Amino acid sequence: MTKNTILTFRKKKREGKKLTMLTAYDYTMARIIDAGQVDAILVGDSLGNVMLGYADTVSVTMDDMVHHCAAVSRATSHALVVGDMPFMSFQTSVEEALRNAGRLMKEGRVNAVKLEGGHRVCPQIKAMVQAGIPVMAHLGLTPQSVNAIGGYRVAGRTKGKAELLLEESLAVQDAGAFSLVLECVPVRLASLIARRLDIPVIGIGSGNGCDGQVLVTQDMMGMSTDFTPKFVKVFAPVGDAMRKAVADYVQAVESCEFPEEQHGFAVDDEAIEGLY
Ligand code: KIV
C-alpha cells in the first residue's frame, strides 16, 4: 500500500476526483480508518472536545497534539497524516510557529500541519513551506476563535464577509498552502471558492461543491453523546452498538454467563494439589 502525499491531493484536484479525510486521535481508530482507504487522517484539535472533554478547542496544548499525532502516525501506512496546530502555538511569532510545526513533524511524525486563519497567518504558512512543512489552511468557521467570534456561526453570509473569505482563500494559496479546509461556509460560496482555487478545498458543513470532505469520526459514527452539528451524517450507529455491548457485558458478568470455559486457562492438577 503506498503512502499518500500532497501530490495525491494535487492529482485528485486535477482529475476532478473527490478527496476524503476523517479525524483520528488514537492508534486503534487510526488503524481502522487507514484500512478504509481514506486519503488523509486529521489529528484535529477537536481532540479537545472529543477525547479530553473540554467545551472548546482553546485549552489544547502542543504536548496534547504531539502525543495523539504520534499514536495516529504509528497506525497509518496509507493516509496522509495532518496534525492541527493548537490555539496560540502559531499566532505569537513566525519563529514560534516554525518551532511548533517542527515538533509535530519530528515528534508527532505527521506529514503536514493545519492551521486556522487567513491573511494574519500567511507569514507563518510561507515560513513553514520554505522549511519543508506542508500546510493545510483552515478558513470559514475557525473554532479556535470561538471567543472572538462570539459562538459557532456559519461564515461568509454577507457580501463583505463572502468577499473577504474569497480573498483570504486566495492569500493562503499564494502563501503556499497545499489545500484548504472550509468549515461551515454556505454551499454556493464554498463551490465558488473551490472552483477559483488551484489547491483542493476540503469542506466540512460546506456542501458538495468542494473538492473533498472531512468529518469528525466520532460524529459520523454516532458516538458523540453531546451536540451533533446539522452537517453531520451518521454513516453507522456505532455508538448504539457500543452502548449495547457495555450493557450486555454488565448483564453477562452479573449473571455469571461470562466468562465461559473457553475464555479461561487450564492448569495441571499437580500444580494446584494441596492448595485447597
Ligand atoms: O479539529 C478538527 O477536527 C478540525 C476539523 C473539524 C476540520 O479542524
Side-chain angles (χ1 to χ4, degrees):
M1 203 190 293
T2 54
K3 178 93 174 165
N4 285 335
T5 67
I6 61 168
L7 301 183
T8 319
F9 272 58
R10 259 184 226 154
K11 186 164 181 281
K12 283 207 158 180
K13 169 96 182 187
R14 211 172 43 239
E15 294 174 350
K17 292 187 180 152
K18 296 284 186 187
L19 283 150
T20 54
M21 182 159 79
L22 284 172
T23 63
Y25 319 98
D26 66 85
Y27 179 85
T28 304
M29 191 66 98
R31 290 269 289 187
I32 292 170
I33 294 171
D34 193 54
Q37 295 293 300
V38 79
D39 291 307
I41 294 181
L42 172 65
V43 188
D45 65 350
S46 51
L47 75 83
N49 311 79
V50 179
M51 293 282 116
L52 305 177
Y54 295 135
D56 54 45
T57 59
V58 171
S59 302
V60 175
T61 64
M62 271 304 300
D63 286 346
D64 293 332
M65 290 308 305
V66 166
H67 180 79
H68 287 269
C69 284
V72 169
S73 298
R74 283 194 289 274
T76 307
S77 53
H78 165 74
L80 181 89
V81 179
V82 184
D84 231 345
M85 301 284 296
F87 183 58
M88 293 316 285
S89 68
F90 57 93
Q91 289 91 342
T92 47
S93 71
V94 169
E95 285 73 18
E96 180 82 354
L98 262 186
R99 211 174 0 259
N100 283 323
R103 275 196 74 194
L104 286 189
M105 302 284 291
K106 286 166 76 84
E107 298 172 49
R109 301 290 306 169
V110 300
N111 309 117
V113 303
K114 174 168 87 56
L115 78 175
E116 297 183 6
H119 288 125
R120 69 188 164 83
V121 298
C122 283
Q124 283 86 333
I125 296 176
K126 272 188 197 143
M128 287 176 193
V129 173
Q130 270 168 17
I133 302 174
V135 179
M136 179 178 275
H138 183 160
L139 287 166
L141 169 60
T142 46
Q144 289 176 13
S145 306
V146 58
N147 292 296
I149 305 166
Y152 298 103
R153 295 159 196 278
V154 176
R157 269 190 158 156
T158 63
K159 187 162 166 48
K161 286 182 178 162
E163 274 170 5
L164 180 63
L165 193 56
L166 174 59
E167 272 171 28
E168 299 223 270
S169 301
L170 290 164
V172 294
Q173 169 173 276
D174 289 348
F178 76 93
S179 74
L180 166 66
V181 167
L182 279 186
E183 180 163 354
C184 287
V185 171
V187 178
R188 283 163 57 206
L189 178 58
S191 309
L192 181 152
I193 294 173
R195 282 197 305 274
R196 285 288 298 275
L197 262 55
D198 298 324
I199 58 172
V201 171
I202 311 297
I204 173 161
S206 301
N208 207 10
C210 296
D211 303 303
Q213 299 294 325
V214 56
L215 282 177
V216 169
T217 299
Q218 280 74 0
D219 287 346
M220 57 81 83
M221 294 207 176
M223 290 165 68
S224 308
T225 45
D226 304 329
F227 168 73
T228 303
K230 164 184 156 72
F231 55 75
V232 170
K233 174 174 172 174
V234 174
F235 282 79
V238 174
D240 290 343
M242 290 172 82
R243 280 181 278 275
K244 181 171 178 326
V246 173
D248 288 353
Y249 167 77
V250 169
Q251 189 277 328
V253 171
E254 286 179 352
S255 63
C256 295
E257 287 164 36
F258 175 83
E260 296 161 55
E261 197 179 340
Q262 74 264 27
H263 303 121
F265 302 95
V267 65
D268 290 338
D269 289 344
E270 67 191 53
I272 54 171
E273 244 167 30
L275 296 180
Y276 292 101

